[in-house]
Amino acid sequence: MATTAPAAHRCSYEDYEATADWLRSQTEQRPKVAIICGSGLGGLAALLDNRVVIPYKDIPNFPQTTVEGHQGQLVFGTLEGQQCVCMQGRFHTYEGYDVYQVTYPVRVFSLLGVRTLVVTNAAGGLNSSFSVGDIMLIKDHINMPGLVGNNPLCGPNDDRFGVRFPCMSDAYDRDLLALAQQTAEGQGIGAFVHQGVYCMVGGPTFESIAEGRALRTMGADAVGMSTALEVVVARHCGLRVLGFSLITNMVVTDYDSTLKANHAEVLDTTLMRTQDLQGLVRGILAQMPVDPEDL
Ligand SMILES: O=P(O)(O)O[C@H]1O[C@H](CO)[C@@H](O)[C@H]1O
Ligand SMILES: Nc1nc2[nH]cnc2c(=O)[nH]1
């Protein structure tokens, strides 16, 4: 039977603007920092003062979350003097969304005036020196969907957002990375905070043993099903990016192992580290220099 590929949800500049205008009409807050909360990490939004909560179902053009551990609302508020917006729940391609839908909020944030994107995720550890519960500061990524042509920048380029061929060798801001490492050490949690390479795969399957081994050989320290697409779009429109992976499980790479990755374990581990992660994000935002363009 012949099948037709679903139409891509590629959006116009005016669609993004309509969403940004609508959000501006709902709150007087004008965030400079956006935080995307990964699986089970929505608790980060509790850090914000003067919260204004807007469910995704009310926001024009916004997709809806379908995954346990992703609440589905934007939370505006202030953290350590920085105006922020938190995405409590992100979108993944395995939910059936295309790369344009998954990254839709990032361009909206940019139009709202956001200058810095903090991405967080739950990820499987590939680096054998990592343990469950460790935090990996993302220093680089392998964008597997993008490498095979499923990149949110495919299609006509809109120069109002950014250039046709953006550079990704500087995707993760080195100054913010150093600040995050220093803050972790200052808070006495440096022993379980590492730097590493995040690999995005499509999911929703967890890795086979051969896949886990292959990803490790490619140079990935952790693997998940999100983040890289959001970062590509953020860098295209000039946002600074800081990324964290919480290592919620170790990827099975041994045929003698009886361990099996599962989402319940992922969510349990996020609970165990919520407080450390919140403390770290608070500490970083307290010291994060305001973008000179905002002065
Ligand atoms: O990347 P986040 O959204 O944190 O979620 C991670 O956790 C889920 C698997 O347990 C997958 O969606 C994976 O990508
Ligand atoms: N692909 C993938 N995503 C995850 N998210 C949390 N843990 C994992 C994992 O082991 N593999």
Side-chain angles (χ1 to χ4, degrees), residues 49-68:
D49 298 319
N50 309 315
R51 283 196 286 276
V52 173
V53 177
I54 306 182
Y56 294 168
K57 68 178 171 41
D58 296 340
I59 307 176
N61 304 327
F62 245 60
Q64 305 305 311
T65 49
T66 68
V67 185
E68 194 190 344

Side-chain angles (χ1 to χ4, degrees), residues 38-39 70 90 92 94 121-122 198 206 224-226 263 266:
S39 284
H70 291 261
R90 64 147 58 86
H92 308 85
Y94 65 74
N121 59 58
Y198 176 85
F206 290 108
M225 309 170 197
S226 70
H263 191 54
V266 168

